[in-house]
Amino acid sequence: MRIVKYADQYLITFSLLNSDPRASLVSWDIGTALDVFIQPILQRLENISSFIVNSQIQHFATLNLKPEVRFDESGKLFSALPASLLPMFINSAEWNFASAISTSSPINFVLYIPSRNEPPLHLVKMN
């Protein structure tokens, strides 16, 4: 787990990354989810910091890392990405999570949708 350092203001970005919109054009009702689940938490924290919340959808988002292909207990194929590589996954130069107009401390939540020919992506703790 990573601890977020204190800041007067945070920029919280929820990103939906779709690797293949030709095969799966996805959308999300992020506004409702933010209102129901995130805003109540942020309201409890408003005496400590202020928050700017936004969302984005990025199409043709490809992985810059090659996950290891594995099989689970039931024999289903999945891609394993070591959790230690998560900073490289999040900070990929191909994905623009940074805001050019904000000096607020960023917090990113990312939902990655692989193409249909890629197995599901799992973050794993490597021994």
Side-chain angles (χ1 to χ4, degrees):
M1 178 179 279
R2 190 168 179 186
I3 297 171
V4 177
K5 293 182 182 179
Y6 173 77
D8 290 336
Q9 186 173 63
Y10 294 95
L11 173 62
I12 303 174
T13 302
F14 291 84
S15 299
L16 174 63
L17 305 177
N18 183 6
S19 66
D20 189 4
R22 293 173 295 224
S24 300
L25 192 55
V26 295
S27 64
W28 60 352
D29 186 9
I30 191 67
T32 301
L34 293 175
D35 289 343
V36 172
F37 299 106
I38 303 300
Q39 286 303 331
I41 296 168
L42 298 181
Q43 287 173 350
R44 296 188 77 174
L45 298 172
E46 67 187 4
N47 292 333
I48 300 170
S49 295
S50 62
F51 301 91
I52 300 167
V53 180
N54 62 26
S55 67
Q56 63 179 343
I57 298 175
Q58 291 188 27
H59 298 290
F60 299 103
T62 57
L63 286 176
N64 63 342
L65 303 169
K66 272 296 191 202
E68 179 183 327
V69 177
R70 295 185 181 179
F71 293 92
D72 66 14
E73 300 83 29
S74 66
K76 291 185 181 176
L77 195 67
F78 71 96
S79 293
L81 183 68
S84 62
L85 296 180
L86 193 55
M88 290 173 28
F89 178 81
I90 297 296
N91 294 323
S92 169
E94 297 177 21
W95 301 343
N96 183 18
F97 295 134
S99 172
I101 58 172
S102 178
T103 58
S104 304
S105 294
I107 299 174
N108 291 294
F109 293 89
V110 179
L111 175 59
Y112 175 74
I113 312 248
S115 69
R116 288 184 180 175
N117 61 352
E118 291 177 289
L121 181 65
H122 294 222
L123 295 176
V124 294
K125 186 174 184 178
M126 302 296 273
N127 295 334

